[in-house]
Amino acid sequence: MVGPLGMGKLYRQFCFPVFAAIVPLLLAAGNAQQPPRSPGLSNIDAIMNRAVAEGNIPGGVVLVGHNGSVVYRKAFGMRSLEPTREPMTTDTIFDMASITKCVATTTAMMQLFEDGRVRLNDPVAKYLKDFAQNGKQDITIRELMTHFSGLPPDLDLSQPWQGRDTAYRMAMAGKLQNPPGSRFVYSDINFITLGFLIEQVTGESLDSYTARHVFAPMGMKETRFLPPKEWIPRIAPTQYDEQGVMLRGVVHDPTARRMGGVAGHAGLFSTADDLARFAQSLLSGSPVLSPLAIAKMSTPQQPANASSQRGLGWDIDSPFSTNRGELLPVGSFGHTGFTGTSLWIDPVTNTYIIILTNAVHPRGHGTAIALRSEIATAVAAALHLTVTEKDRLRLARITGYNESMMAARRIVARNGEVKDGIDVLESHDFRELQPDPAHPRRIGLVANQTSVDRQGRRTADVLAHVPGLQLVAIFSPEHGFEGKLDTTAIGNSRDAATGAPVYSVYGATDAQRRPPADVLAGLDAIVYDIQDVGVRFYTYESTLGYFLEATAKAGKEIVVLDRPDPIGGAYVQGPVADAGRESFVSYWQTPVRHGMTIGELARLFNGERKIGAALTVVPMQGWLRGDWFDSTGEVWTNPSPNMRDLNEAALYPGIGMIEASNISVGRGADTPFELVGAPWIDPASLAAHLNARELDGVRFVPVRFTPTSSIYATQPCGGVNLIVTDRNALDAPELGIEIASALLKLYPNQYKIAGVDTLMVSKSSLDALAAGEDPRRIAEDWQDADAKFEVLRSHYLLY
């Protein structure tokens, strides 16, 4: 069976003979020390010798691979200090500790994923029925593999217990420490559970499966759980156990030891050479995983709004990723082990760094934390590792646009000075409109109150006074030319300042929302200049689409003057609209929050809908993809009557998404989209429920309010006031379904959830909500479609 990545067993069967022939040539170092191939790598000697002399480690092995070759391989210090003294050798076998999670468990899980035997967003309870106990029924495989499950760090070791069966019962009966998906908590229980899941799906023990399907195909002959007695002389001892016996060939991790030495989180033993085989295969072609699977597990898979970046099993940028050093780029990946082991792989520079120590030997007082960072930094400096422009694009996709902050969101506020499309047009002397004083070009302008330049002049007034241009028509979208009307009954009028007729392109019918063909026939070009809010159901986007269609049909030019996406262009969030459900509030299959400017959307619509309009976009100057509106230096003008500030705009992708259900979102109150309520809601109960969900970037205050318009006008409502605590951590569409889910749970007889899909336009998400699925799990199901959209939109981005 070929799995969802299109590879699976067929890929592995094809690649194994090729890999078996090539990798031994790449790693033909034998057991000899490998002299440094770059003079700067000799700095590693000093770093390691100092760590040994200072007592941080008894000894260790360092192996560095670069561009397909081993460029450094050396042993230092002592393998054993007690009860006997033995020198360290390059073929020493080490207790891998938590590197087990990546090399064994993650690799096995990715094989099952490739073969279609598991799905990342499946609940774990689909495969391990007992796991659904105590509120864990919605924890997904992805959440286990990224450590966002909400489970505590480890099984309870305060009481004596033994055996895998006991560990299984404890893991299945465990209780949540945090709501699933809410925060990163590194947990051994996650990978203990994954080990049991692998055994359930494959029908093999974890050690047997990985030996046959992972280690043997990769030629890793000295990697296994439960090492045999003949290996013991080469195994680095770790620490005295509770009975005063030195652990050698027995796993150091106490939970894995109680489980008999085989567990998904720890228990693997290996050598530097075998880890080199594994690392090289991830860089140059693996016999056990396809390139797509490797890319999947080594790029961010955590919740999109989380600060700690985790792949599937692998660390990318979190508080645990100090072994990346200071010079290797974010976008590389790796892991560490408690015993003193470390593996870091950088596909950008084709480099891997292996540091194996038994730092806990003999009494648990050593540490390799600083050592890992020092060596990684020294390697990057010695090899003069550089990043190509192509790789910079990959890193930008992974890290955002400011890489200076470790394990935190990299989008920061700045004091910019952005010129909108109208300002750029003015500086170009309107060349994009081709003014002709002898034969003035007849211009139609799609505009409203936001259509002003940096000096506060209306675009209509600017164009009306350009020699060679004649403003003969203005088209006003929803809310009218002045942006003050909240009704479908908007008629035509005339602009007093310019004398141009104003044609409304908003109303209750489709025909009323499209430009009149007879008016377009009398024009040479259309100029579109309206501030959007970066949300799919904001109708200015559909108005843009309708003008693209109309100008293409009429054979007219259309010039879009670009403006910022006020909530930034770095985030893509929410469900992609269902195909075939296009409407005035869902022009095309974009996510709720698409992260595109109005000019970029014009390019996307024109290209993907095959409209074929004669489109010109006048780009902004000075806008960066991560800029929120407050970084532009521009004056805020309400894009619509109830969109009164940037805080409301940040919440709008979620609160606006659910407002077609029977709730008030604060229209007719002082702070629309910062309130959610209804006459039948108890404020304290709703606030307590939502705050208990520990949603990133937002808190909830119980309030009462009385809207003066829209639903529940003049009726006292109970509800919550939404306080944005971190707008870059906030996933507003997920917030929307969290509120909808809470209302359905608390008020099943009063809340009418079906209305949510009017603007969400995602039947599968509505069905999942109605079925009571965890909102975070629903949001996880959006990620693959959002990722595909990000690839698609990349062809149309201007910034």
Side-chain angles (χ1 to χ4, degrees):
M1 177 180 180
V2 178
L5 296 182
M7 295 294 181
K9 294 178 181 177
L10 293 180
Y11 177 89
R12 299 197 288 274
Q13 290 168 358
F14 173 79
C15 286
F16 174 63
V18 178
F19 180 87
I22 292 176
V23 168
L25 300 177
L26 297 176
L27 298 170
N31 289 329
Q33 305 266 64
Q34 176 68 46
R37 297 193 183 180
S38 171
L41 288 175
S42 60
N43 291 335
I44 297 174
D45 294 23
I47 296 171
M48 286 293 292
N49 287 328
R50 184 172 65 251
V52 171
E54 293 176 353
N56 293 321
I57 58 172
V61 176
V62 179
L63 190 153
V64 179
H66 181 57
N67 287 338
S69 299
V70 174
V71 296
Y72 184 95
R73 180 177 180 272
K74 196 168 184 179
F76 299 87
M78 305 298 289
R79 177 161 61 204
S80 173
L81 298 176
E82 297 181 16
T84 60
R85 294 181 63 84
E86 304 168 18
M88 184 68 72
T89 59
T90 55
D91 64 347
T92 295
I93 300 167
F94 291 85
D95 182 336
M96 292 290 105
S98 284
I99 289 181
T100 304
K101 295 178 173 73
C102 303
V103 175
T105 309
T106 294
T107 307
M109 285 299 304
M110 294 308 295
Q111 288 182 339
L112 299 184
F113 171 59
E114 282 196 285
D115 294 342
R117 300 168 78 178
V118 301
R119 292 178 63 251
L120 295 178
N121 291 342
D122 279 343
V124 178
K126 176 179 178 179
Y127 307 95
L128 298 172
K129 305 297 184 185
D130 296 333
F131 191 75
Q133 301 175 57
N134 295 319
K136 303 196 301 300
Q137 67 277 359
D138 288 314
I139 295 177
T140 64
I141 290 174
R142 183 192 299 272
E143 287 168 338
L144 290 185
M145 295 187 75
T146 57
H147 296 286
F148 278 83
S149 67
L151 294 172
D154 200 357
L155 299 179
D156 184 7
L157 297 176
S158 63
Q159 300 296 323
W161 59 267
Q162 290 291 328
R164 292 174 57 77
D165 291 345
T166 302
Y168 177 87
R169 289 193 296 271
M170 293 173 70
M172 298 303 107
K175 296 181 180 180
L176 291 170
Q177 178 175 285
N178 305 106
S182 65
R183 61 187 63 245
F184 169 69
V185 175
Y186 185 84
S187 170
D188 284 345
I189 300 176
N190 293 330
F191 277 76
I192 291 170
T193 302
L194 288 169
F196 289 131
L197 189 152
I198 291 165
E199 294 180 339
Q200 175 66 29
V201 171
T202 65
E204 297 184 58
S205 65
L206 179 64
D207 55 330
S208 174
Y209 179 88
T210 52
R212 294 200 313 119
H213 298 281
V214 179
F215 309 140
M218 299 184 78
M220 298 172 67
K221 297 179 180 179
E222 295 185 322
T223 301
R224 60 170 295 170
F225 294 90
L226 304 175
K229 291 183 179 179
E230 55 267 26
W231 286 17
I232 289 179
R234 285 198 292 127
I235 293 177
T238 52
Q239 190 176 349
Y240 290 106
D241 68 7
E242 297 83 351
Q243 284 73 44
V245 177
M246 177 60 69
L247 296 172
R248 188 167 192 172
V250 176
V251 61
H252 176 267
D253 180 85
T255 304
R257 210 178 327 138
R258 293 190 189 192
M259 292 175 63
V262 179
H265 72 294
L268 198 66
F269 287 75
S270 188
T271 64
D273 289 336
D274 267 11
L275 278 192
R277 290 181 174 86
F278 182 85
Q280 186 61 56
S281 79
L282 297 190
L283 292 174
S284 60
S286 170
V288 300
L289 291 176
S290 72
L292 288 177
I294 294 168
K296 184 81 172 176
M297 73 182 184
S298 61
T299 52
Q301 302 295 327
Q302 78 287 339
N305 56 334
S307 59
S308 292
Q309 298 200 358
R310 301 285 301 196
L312 298 172
W314 293 92
D315 192 6
I316 296 172
D317 187 21
S318 80
F320 292 87
S321 55
T322 55
N323 55 328
R324 178 165 56 87
E326 298 175 352
L327 297 179
L328 287 175
V330 177
S332 51
F333 58 97
H335 214 282
T336 61
F338 184 81
T339 52
T341 55
S342 171
L343 168 63
W344 202 263
I345 303 171
D346 181 23
V348 174
T349 61
N350 199 17
T351 304
Y352 59 86
I353 303 170
I354 297 166
I355 307 167
L356 301 183
T357 78
N358 52 341
V360 295
H361 181 71
R363 289 179 171 79
H365 301 312
T367 177
I369 294 176
L371 174 69
R372 296 162 177 162
S373 179
E374 281 190 79
I375 290 178
T377 300
V379 169
L383 296 178
H384 306 291
L385 301 181
T386 58
V387 180
T388 66
E389 189 59 32
K390 178 182 177 181
D391 291 325
R392 288 185 194 280
L393 294 176
R394 177 182 183 272
L395 296 179
R397 176 173 62 83
I398 293 174
T399 66
Y401 91 126
N402 182 337
E403 200 183 281
S404 64
M405 291 184 292
M406 177 115 171
R409 264 296 172 196
R410 293 164 184 79
I411 296 172
V412 295
R414 68 186 186 98
N415 298 320
E417 185 173 335
V418 174
K419 288 185 177 181
D420 289 339
I422 178 60
D423 304 301
V424 175
L425 184 71
E426 293 170 3
S427 70
H428 290 175
D429 293 326
F430 305 94
R431 68 183 181 222
E432 288 85 355
L433 298 180
Q434 305 169 43
D436 185 351
H439 301 92
R441 303 195 75 215
R442 296 162 298 175
I443 301 298
L445 173 65
V446 189
N448 63 6
Q449 76 287 352
T450 66
S451 311
V452 294
D453 67 8
R454 199 164 182 84
Q455 286 71 46
R457 299 176 298 183
R458 299 189 314 165
T459 302
D461 296 326
V462 171
L463 295 181
H465 293 88
V466 177
L469 299 180
Q470 183 181 2
L471 182 63
V472 298
I474 298 172
F475 301 92
S476 65
E478 183 178 1
H479 306 300
F481 185 45
E482 296 181 353
K484 298 178 180 178
L485 304 175
D486 214 356
T487 174
T488 56
I490 302 176
N492 298 335
S493 60
R494 186 170 295 275
D495 178 43
T498 63
V502 179
Y503 299 95
S504 173
V505 286
Y506 180 69
T509 67
D510 183 75
Q512 291 174 314
R513 297 166 179 167
R514 296 178 183 270
D518 59 330
V519 177
L520 274 183
L523 302 176
D524 294 309
I526 285 288
V527 175
Y528 183 101
D529 184 27
I530 292 178
Q531 176 64 59
D532 186 37
V533 297
V535 178
R536 186 220 303 146
F537 43 79
Y538 210 58
T539 62
Y540 301 160
E541 297 181 5
S542 292
T543 296
L544 169 66
Y546 292 169
F547 270 89
L548 288 167
E549 294 174 20
T551 54
K553 185 175 181 181
K556 307 296 182 180
E557 300 172 25
I558 180 169
V559 178
V560 175
L561 307 182
D562 210 5
R563 290 182 176 271
D565 183 334
I567 57 176
Y571 294 90
V572 172
Q573 295 171 334
V576 171
D578 291 339
R581 296 182 62 190
E582 290 76 17
S583 71
F584 194 51
V585 291
S586 182
Y587 183 74
W588 196 66
Q589 297 145 44
T590 57
V592 168
R593 184 180 181 184
H594 46 66
M596 301 181 76
T597 68
I598 201 71
E600 293 171 335
L601 278 176
R603 287 160 51 86
L604 174 77
F605 293 163
N606 201 39
E608 294 302 315
R609 293 199 61 162
K610 306 294 191 290
I611 294 173
L615 170 66
T616 299
V617 175
V618 181
M620 296 174 282
Q621 289 181 1
W623 189 73
L624 298 179
R625 184 114 240 124
D627 281 348
W628 288 70
F629 193 84
D630 54 48
S631 290
T632 66
E634 298 189 28
V635 176
W636 176 272
T637 300
N638 293 347
S640 54
N642 286 287
M643 191 62 61
R644 300 173 186 171
D645 59 39
L646 186 54
N647 195 59
E648 292 169 1
L651 291 164
Y652 183 66
I655 306 308
M657 186 178 75
I658 64 173
E659 76 164 309
S661 60
N662 59 327
I663 54 171
S664 169
V665 295
R667 292 183 185 268
D670 292 336
T671 54
F673 305 114
E674 297 180 49
L675 296 168
V676 170
W680 34 268
I681 290 177
D682 175 64
S685 297
L686 180 59
H689 180 98
L690 290 170
N691 283 326
R693 292 287 293 167
E694 298 185 13
L695 304 179
D696 285 335
V698 65
R699 293 288 291 173
F700 304 88
V701 178
V703 294
R704 300 187 188 276
F705 63 97
T706 303
T708 59
S709 63
S710 193
I711 188 173
Y712 305 129
T714 74
Q715 297 184 53
C717 294
V720 290
N721 176 209
L722 292 93
I723 308 298
V724 177
T725 58
D726 184 346
R727 65 188 182 183
N728 288 318
L730 173 67
D731 186 329
E734 183 179 334
L735 165 66
I737 62 170
E738 285 280 359
I739 293 173
S741 174
L743 293 173
L744 188 62
K745 282 186 173 72
L746 296 174
Y747 308 102
N749 297 324
Q750 292 94 345
Y751 186 54
K752 309 302 180 186
I753 198 169
V756 168
D757 203 35
T758 302
L759 299 180
M760 184 169 64
V761 196
S762 174
K763 181 66 163 52
S764 62
S765 299
L766 177 68
D767 291 345
L769 277 171
E773 285 191 19
D774 187 282
R776 286 191 173 97
R777 180 177 157 199
I778 298 171
E780 282 182 2
D781 285 332
W782 300 338
Q783 290 192 19
D784 287 344
D786 285 350
K788 290 178 182 177
F789 176 79
E790 287 194 69
V791 173
L792 176 71
R793 77 167 189 161
S794 66
H795 303 298
Y796 302 100
L797 298 183
L798 295 167
Y799 314 95

